[in-house]
Amino acid sequence: MDKILRRTAVLMTVILLSPALYADESAGLLMGSLSTAQTVGFGNGQIGGFAGFGDEFTTLFGAITYGFSDYTEGRFKLGFSDLDIPNGDPELAVGADFKYQFMDVNSRTRKQPLDMAFGFLFEWVDIEGYSLIQLGGFLTGSYPFKLSSGSILSPYGRINIRMERVSNGDSESDFEGGFNMGVKFDLSPSVALFGELQIDGNTGLFTGLDFKAF
């Protein structure tokens, strides 16, 4: 138990000591993180269904993840987002990210204290005459704890810094930031459940399931 607490404390410190976590004026990410620092592995694929309930947007979306190598992966996201205003209609939302894992606790060559990855993110939605494009980078840390039942519980955290461009007649671009903190619970070798808190302009809760497709 002490070992678990020490590793969790290290992960929390990495996240919470990051500067410029979020801006109150930002729109915030629509689709959260919903991913640990671990990659799916070369040639492997996953399909997920997720929901985000934020104070600005409610978003339902699916995601396809593919491993380009043992330590790189890409994820494409497609769904619908609803701006939280009266009589709002859901509109198409698109997202994508690319991740490189540079630290691996299961490495056979050098033991690492955490799984760590960095990557790039993109999101777009055009809703109620309000166009939002987000482009930036992120850093994710996580650690997989093997439970006595054989299941794996992986707490994770991600910080991001991005350019947020809002168009509503006039266009405005700003650099914003935010962080996500959550847990991945492997229900089986092929199914994982996510629960996540996002602190950003679109602060809220995100959840969903990821399934191993191939």
Side-chain angles (χ1 to χ4, degrees), residues 156-174:
Y156 64 89
R158 185 185 81 165
I159 57 173
N160 76 81
I161 298 176
R162 63 190 188 274
M163 184 191 73
E164 193 173 272
R165 182 176 178 83
V166 179
S167 300
N168 188 9
D170 297 324
S171 296
E172 182 178 347
S173 299
D174 290 297

Side-chain angles (χ1 to χ4, degrees), residues 13-72:
T13 301
V14 170
I15 298 165
L16 295 178
L17 290 183
S18 173
L21 291 177
Y22 71 98
D24 291 335
E25 297 294 328
S26 70
L29 293 175
L30 307 172
M31 302 178 179
S33 171
L34 298 164
S35 177
T36 68
Q38 286 188 332
T39 51
V40 298
F42 175 62
N44 294 326
Q46 292 180 328
I47 297 176
F50 304 100
F53 306 96
D55 57 9
E56 294 289 337
F57 298 93
T58 297
T59 307
L60 302 176
F61 63 98
I64 299 175
T65 307
Y66 180 76
F68 296 107
S69 73
D70 287 341
Y71 291 108
T72 59

Side-chain angles (χ1 to χ4, degrees), residues 96-155:
D97 56 57
F98 178 84
K99 182 173 69 183
Y100 170 68
Q101 183 180 353
F102 63 91
M103 290 174 59
D104 183 1
V105 297
N106 295 317
S107 174
R108 282 176 269 178
T109 57
R110 183 181 178 185
K111 191 69 176 177
Q112 304 286 358
L114 292 171
D115 290 324
M116 295 289 292
F118 70 85
F120 305 95
L121 64 88
F122 166 81
E123 286 188 353
W124 171 84
V125 69
D126 192 339
I127 184 168
E128 301 292 335
Y130 174 92
S131 180
L132 174 65
I133 297 176
Q134 311 208 57
L135 183 65
F138 62 84
L139 177 69
T140 301
S142 63
Y143 189 86
F145 296 109
K146 190 168 185 178
L147 306 180
S148 58
S149 63
S151 298
I152 297 176
L153 187 70
S154 303

